[in-house]
């Protein structure tokens, strides 16, 4: 499988036309790329099932990010699709992640994001489920890896948000299990003039080579 | 203002055509109805801002449901729109709501949904913010009302999900503050044959009259 491209459905802001543009964009991606719809859905079961159809069948994405707040029956409908992945929000990369994700349970002494990981592991194997763990949480990523040694992490926050790719890789990239490092804004906003294609390609290549360096250390 | 109609964007499952149908549906609603997009969005700031534009400006909904997991900077962009409402998930009506929403903080001894209410009250007044509190939580709705005496609650779970409208109204409808009771499936699935319009109207009227009875006791 070739490197990753991530699709963020922000063009929903353009209305119906935005959806058209998104479908056309996804259709123009050559085979062999892993397509992530970073849509952060999550609703009661019957609605989640319809969201799953929208992203997995209509859009034909391989993976979808899902918000865990509503619990098991809001996540499970996304797991009923063969060869599709759920990427559950655990510890996100934004400042507000501290508001609720760090709340520590009186009973288990685990933080909310740790509870999310521990419970979700009972819902699906590492063949169907990954977790969002922000690169801006590099100090914690080692203990999060211990909590879920077999599961892939989707790691946003490298680039514009200030996350350190080297530190994240050192702590969470193992010979058993990997990372999907999602770099969006520093690539898609690499330039706003006619030189965009080249500037974006250079930025993406830079990150890809950094990752390749870390991967080569493992083999 | 007339009674409430709620829009659930499940037709996203139909892809671009679904969005067209949704826009047309919303446009066909006469003026004077309060339109809620029950889309449960929530993402990092720049993406939330674009979701807000999609629902408040493109779709022209009056209110949007928002998931709190990612914290303050994922919610605030939705609050930058004049005469628009954020309806934040607090204690939802589905079985999975027990998975994380009931996690009790070691520090404050408040449950996660109580933390969400207490923090969000510092982000916006009752003129911009409401909370989702499921009717299936009727046993708790009295204490939730004490936590947020001035804020409207959006109450799903009456009807198909088994919530008791009378009990909810008794505990949470006050002369200062109200409830938006959202009954979806028992209305939209009232019949599947040619008699649908009449069956749906009868079901909606039944709920409306029950609510009117509770409102009249307050005046």
């Amino acid at each position: 499988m070739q490197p990753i491209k991530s699709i963020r459905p922000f063009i929903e802001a353009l209305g119906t036309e935005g959806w058209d543009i998104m479908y056309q964009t996804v259709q123009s991606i050559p085979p062999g790329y892993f397509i992530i719809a970073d849509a952060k859905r999550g609703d009661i079961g019957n609605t989640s099932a319809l969201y799953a159809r929208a992203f997995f069948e209509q859009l034909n994405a391989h993976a979808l990010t899902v918000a865990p707040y509503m619990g098991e029956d809001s996540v499970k409908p996304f797991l009923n699709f063969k060869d599709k992945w759920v990427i559950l929000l655990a510890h996100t990369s934004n400042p507000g992640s501290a508001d609720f994700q760090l709340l520590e349970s009186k009973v288990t002494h685990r933080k909310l994001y740790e509870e999310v990981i521990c419970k979700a592991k009972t819902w699906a194997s590492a063949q169907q489920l990954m977790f969002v763990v922000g690169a801006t949480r590099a100090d914690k990523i080692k203990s999060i890896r211990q909590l879920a040694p077999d599961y892939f992490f989707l790691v946003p926050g490298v680039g514009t948000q200030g996350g350190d790719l080297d530190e994240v890789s050192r702590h969470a990239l193992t010979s058993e299990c990997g990372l999907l490092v999602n770099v969006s804004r520093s690539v898609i906003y690499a330039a706003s003039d006619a030189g965009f294609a080249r500037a974006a390609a250079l930025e993406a290549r830079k990150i890809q080579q950094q990752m390749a360096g870390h991967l080569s250390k493992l083999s």
Side-chain angles (χ1 to χ4, degrees), chain A:
Chain A
M1 188 163 285
Q2 295 182 47
I4 308 302
K5 286 194 178 188
S6 158
I7 306 293
R8 181 182 291 274
F10 64 87
I11 39 184
E12 196 172 82
L14 299 173
T16 302
E17 196 195 350
W19 278 84
D20 272 333
I21 296 169
M22 183 165 68
Y23 286 113
Q24 286 169 29
T25 306
V26 171
Q27 278 177 345
S28 75
I29 299 173
Y33 286 93
F34 190 76
I35 299 169
I36 301 168
D38 186 10
K40 303 188 175 68
R41 295 300 191 266
D43 207 316
I44 56 172
N46 59 334
T47 310
S48 276
L50 289 160
Y51 279 135
R53 277 176 49 198
F55 289 99
F56 291 150
E57 293 181 350
Q58 289 287 325
L59 189 66
N60 209 17
H62 300 107
L64 177 69
T65 55
V66 172
Y69 190 77
M70 294 180 69
E72 179 171 1
D73 60 327
S74 72
V75 176
K76 284 232 163 148
F78 295 105
L79 293 164
N80 291 332
F81 291 76
K82 197 172 168 327
D83 298 328
K84 302 291 186 182
W85 293 79
V86 166
I87 310 181
L88 198 63
L89 302 185
H91 200 0
T92 59
S93 57
N94 63 314
S97 66
D99 284 327
F100 306 119
Q101 294 166 26
L102 299 185
L103 189 147
E104 190 174 341
S105 167
K106 201 172 143 177
V107 179
T108 64
H109 301 281
R110 283 194 292 249
K111 297 198 165 67
L112 174 60
Y113 73 88
E114 296 171 322
E115 285 287 333
V116 167
I117 292 171
C118 292
K119 280 215 169 140
K121 279 166 61 184
T122 70
W123 303 338
S125 77
Q127 305 311 312
Q128 271 197 296
L129 181 67
M130 312 183 195
F131 296 102
V132 174
V133 180
T136 50
R137 311 291 156 221
D139 53 327
K140 291 176 191 150
I141 209 162
K142 196 174 174 180
S143 65
I144 300 177
R145 173 51 82 209
Q146 286 166 349
L147 218 55
D150 304 329
Y151 288 75
F152 263 74
F153 294 165
L154 176 70
V155 182
V158 167
T160 307
Q161 294 180 63
D164 183 332
L165 182 61
D166 295 330
E167 199 177 351
V168 166
S169 300
R170 198 167 57 246
H171 291 314
L173 193 64
T174 73
S175 54
E176 281 81 42
C177 191
L179 298 173
L180 305 186
V181 175
N182 170 48
V183 183
S184 300
R185 280 181 280 173
S186 60
V187 173
I188 61 178
Y189 298 135
S192 54
D193 56 14
F196 166 74
R198 192 178 150 72
L202 279 175
E203 181 65 26
R205 177 68 66 192
K206 196 179 78 186
I207 307 283
Q208 188 271 328
Q209 286 172 344
Q210 246 184 301
M211 281 302 290
H214 288 288
L215 279 170
S216 68
K217 285 183 210 150
L218 294 174
S219 55

